[in-house]
Amino acid sequence: MAETPEANGASPSSSTENGATSSSSTANGLSDAEQLKNEANQTFKDKHFTKAVDLYTQAIELTPGNAILYANRAAAHVRLENYGSALADATSAIDKDPKYIKGYYRRADANLGLGKVRNALNDFRRAAKEHPRDPDLRKKLEQCEREVKRLRFKEALATPNEVPVAQQIDLSSMPVEDSYDGPRMEGSEEEGYRLTRDFITAMMEHFRRQKTIHKRFAFQIILEATELLRKSPSLVDVAIPAQGGFTVCGDVHGQFYDLLHIFELNGLPSEENPYLFNGDFVDRGSFSVEVILTLMAWRVLLPKHMHMARGNHESKGMNKIYGFEGEVKAKYNATMAELFREAFCWLPLAHCLNGKVLVLHGGLFSRDGVTLDDLRAIDRCREPPEEGLMCELLWSDPQAQDGRSPSKRGVGVAFGPDVTQRFLEANGLQLLIRSHEVKEEGYEVEHNGYCITVFSAPNYCDQMGNKGAFIRFKGADMAPNFTTYPASPHPNVRPMAYASSFMGGIFGG
């Protein structure tokens, strides 16, 4: 019930905004709105969610008292991960019709998307009061209650000075059995193992065949990558020689076979072919373990030529909702999931290329005057906060109009061309590169050419139909050059296959 838009009928509040009897013009408006709603519903089913939002908006303009339209538009916003807009629409649906159950469903979905499980539970409880016999609602309510109890139990057990998981792992307790038929690092149990280029390429081919590497090697990759990340600053300055090149990739989101395609198109990482992957390596796609181990392995082998920045999905809350935590536990164990959480907290937040191009995952800030030194000073080793510079650089998005607006996501801000220009001028920069948003062509140039979005997960979640892209720079001029590509075939494993049935049912493809 919670996953599809309302197809027929009208809510009790959908006659006219002031309750007057219908006239000829009102009847025409209702008829047009119903037609737009039906078209929007079909567009939603076809997974064209941005177009569905536009059509629902047109219908709302004709019949602003219709709770169904707001709830349906909220459902489309949830699929687009615009949780702030979804919360606003769901609240409007409830205001129009307090007994309309899907209004509470949609608001709960939006709160779950933001990791606010307790708020979602409140909405499920309110809906249950209105519809106590609805079986699907009772199931959702029970699942949400169990999740809140689990969170409370874990919080009660937490101690303020826990020993990091990385310090508790003993690699010598993980012998590589003779029966293991996957790639092996150079060395031995007695002498220790060493990561090599041959191992990484063999590991990638092993992953391509849907096999996992031995946990001994997987843990070593994460531990060595974590140690390197710990030594990195929050803002990394990258020097690109005049004759050298540099590639920036956006979100990959667990789409391992598309990552392989990037390397086929642009070459494997090397000293002559450096990369920056700009966050959101995991979640959504169900090959996130393969993606993150591959990137971390290259990071260990090429510490000065493979760079990784944190995205908003490199966080515990997002990983629990969108599948990565479940995937790690299914392919390895809970200890590794905790180790990844620690590693993500050490990821740098931004990179400055040749002092000219700033690359960060989300966007700019809720106030002017932020400097690169402010970014360098961020204490990043923590879960992302709900406000402040760290939150905003992970979550914010550009907007077409000048100034700032509340974020459609419910976190961060929307910032205009004037904000971008002032920030770049104040910091002596010429370009802002960010990711974080699906783009039809894989990239989009905005803000008079000063802000570029790059997104590297084509046909995102197997449903968006977008291309992927990466950006190639030459050190001599630092002008962006774009490569786009379609989605690559992958095994028949759906997005978010490892998310819980509760979360996956709401946010799955």
Side-chain angles (χ1 to χ4, degrees):
M1 180 175 182
E3 288 77 39
T4 56
E6 188 81 34
N8 298 303
S11 72
S13 304
S14 64
S15 55
T16 60
E17 190 168 18
N18 61 7
T21 57
S22 63
S23 63
S24 175
S25 60
T26 301
N28 289 337
L30 290 171
S31 176
D32 291 344
E34 187 68 17
Q35 182 177 342
L36 285 166
K37 183 184 77 172
N38 292 337
E39 185 179 350
N41 289 352
Q42 184 58 52
T43 302
F44 183 101
K45 291 174 184 176
D46 293 338
K47 300 180 179 179
H48 300 307
F49 303 117
T50 299
K51 183 178 179 182
V53 167
D54 292 340
L55 291 168
Y56 287 131
T57 300
Q58 294 177 46
I60 287 170
E61 290 172 353
L62 293 173
T63 55
N66 191 330
I68 292 172
L69 295 173
Y70 287 97
N72 286 5
R73 190 170 68 177
H77 278 307
V78 166
R79 291 305 184 96
L80 291 169
E81 302 182 25
N82 297 338
Y83 301 120
S85 297
L87 281 171
D89 275 347
T91 300
S92 293
I94 294 167
D95 290 343
K96 305 295 180 188
D97 182 0
K99 295 184 180 295
Y100 181 47
I101 188 172
K102 279 199 174 180
Y104 297 100
Y105 262 117
R106 302 303 181 217
R107 196 162 69 181
D109 289 352
N111 275 312
L112 287 172
L114 291 168
K116 298 181 178 180
V117 183
R118 292 176 175 85
N119 289 355
L121 177 59
N122 290 336
D123 279 322
F124 284 133
R125 284 174 171 167
R126 289 181 64 181
K129 288 182 180 180
E130 299 293 339
H131 299 266
R133 297 181 180 179
D134 185 295
D136 185 58
L137 176 57
R138 296 301 308 179
K139 180 181 177 182
K140 289 281 193 297
L141 176 58
E142 290 169 3
Q143 289 174 320
C144 199
E145 285 176 335
R146 284 198 297 271
E147 177 62 16
V148 169
K149 286 180 181 178
R150 188 197 67 80
L151 289 173
R152 287 173 177 163
F153 180 72
K154 191 165 186 177
E155 289 168 358
L157 291 178
T159 58
N161 297 309
E162 287 186 76
V163 177
V165 174
Q167 295 179 19
Q168 302 177 43
I169 294 171
D170 178 12
L171 293 177
S172 66
S173 68
M174 307 175 193
V176 182
E177 303 84 359
D178 291 340
S179 58
Y180 170 66
D181 64 354
R184 293 172 180 257
M185 291 184 182
E186 282 191 2
S188 65
E189 298 285 351
E190 296 76 20
E191 300 171 355
Y193 289 104
R194 183 171 64 88
L195 189 68
T196 63
R197 188 179 186 87
D198 286 344
F199 172 82
I200 298 175
T201 56
M203 178 183 72
M204 291 166 60
E205 186 57 36
H206 201 63
F207 288 160
R208 188 197 298 269
R209 299 196 300 269
Q210 289 185 270
K211 296 183 177 182
T212 57
I213 60 171
H214 195 280
K215 65 180 181 180
R216 168 67 171 75
F217 302 132
F219 271 105
Q220 181 169 332
I221 289 169
I222 305 166
L223 287 169
E224 291 188 14
T226 301
E227 186 60 25
L228 283 170
L229 295 172
R230 285 182 67 250
K231 297 175 182 177
S232 300
S234 293
L235 170 61
V236 178
D237 290 289
V238 180
I240 306 168
Q243 301 306 314
F246 193 89
T247 302
V248 178
C249 299
D251 304 37
V252 179
H253 272 301
Q255 297 185 195
F256 177 69
Y257 295 85
D258 295 307
L259 175 64
L260 293 180
H261 193 200
I262 292 172
F263 291 149
E264 290 165 1
L265 291 170
N266 197 56
L268 290 172
S270 69
E271 292 183 5
E272 297 75 30
N273 192 30
Y275 280 86
L276 164 58
F277 282 82
N278 193 31
D280 282 13
F281 322 116
V282 301
D283 281 341
R284 289 291 196 177
S286 293
F287 302 95
S288 293
V289 167
E290 291 80 358
V291 167
I292 190 62
L293 286 177
T294 297
L295 295 180
M296 282 186 163
W298 286 115
R299 180 75 175 84
V300 171
L301 187 69
L302 300 166
K304 296 181 180 179
H305 302 92
M306 168 59 86
H307 303 276
M308 300 169 67
R310 193 173 191 174
N312 63 302
H313 275 266
E314 277 70 57
S315 66
K316 187 172 184 178
M318 294 292 103
N319 295 163
K320 183 161 194 65
I321 295 169
Y322 292 100
F324 180 59
E325 181 181 300
E327 182 183 342
V328 177
K329 290 178 178 178
K331 294 179 178 178
Y332 288 99
N333 53 44
T335 300
M336 186 178 289
E338 280 297 301
L339 185 61
F340 273 123
R341 182 190 66 79
E342 288 183 0
F344 290 165
C345 287
W346 287 111
L347 283 163
L349 301 176
H351 292 74
C352 188
L353 313 182
N354 276 3
K356 296 180 179 180
V357 178
L358 182 68
V359 187
L360 45 72
H361 182 73
L364 297 181
F365 311 101
S366 57
R367 61 179 175 86
D368 285 341
V370 175
T371 67
L372 297 185
D373 283 340
D374 291 330
L375 304 188
R376 292 186 178 97
I378 294 174
D379 178 13
R380 72 183 188 278
C381 187
R382 53 180 168 157
E383 289 301 312
E386 294 187 3
E387 59 183 11
L389 297 184
M390 182 173 172
C391 169
E392 291 164 0
L393 68 81
L394 292 175
W395 280 95
S396 293
D397 297 292
Q399 65 180 18
Q401 68 271 26
D402 281 346
R404 295 177 174 89
S405 302
S407 170
K408 61 190 177 184
R409 298 176 188 267
V411 188
V413 298
F415 60 98
D418 58 330
V419 175
T420 297
Q421 188 167 348
R422 288 196 301 270
F423 176 82
L424 294 177
E425 289 176 351
N427 287 283
L429 299 166
Q430 66 183 33
L431 184 63
L432 174 69
I433 302 288
R434 42 92 61 185
S435 303
H436 195 43
E437 285 185 288
V438 181
K439 296 298 179 181
E440 186 173 345
E441 293 300 315
Y443 73 94
E444 185 174 2
V445 180
E446 302 174 82
H447 292 187
N448 304 312
Y450 292 110
C451 177
I452 296 175
T453 298
V454 59
F455 193 84
S456 301
N459 194 27
Y460 179 48
C461 295
D462 289 352
Q463 67 182 23
M464 299 301 286
N466 60 291
K467 294 179 182 177
F470 55 81
I471 304 174
R472 181 94 176 154
F473 290 96
K474 291 289 186 181
D477 60 10
M478 293 303 293
N481 296 282
F482 304 97
T483 298
T484 64
Y485 49 91
S488 297
H490 65 75
N492 187 25
V493 182
R494 64 179 177 81
M496 290 185 62
Y498 297 94
S500 69
S501 57
F502 177 40
M503 299 300 189
I506 294 171
F507 301 108

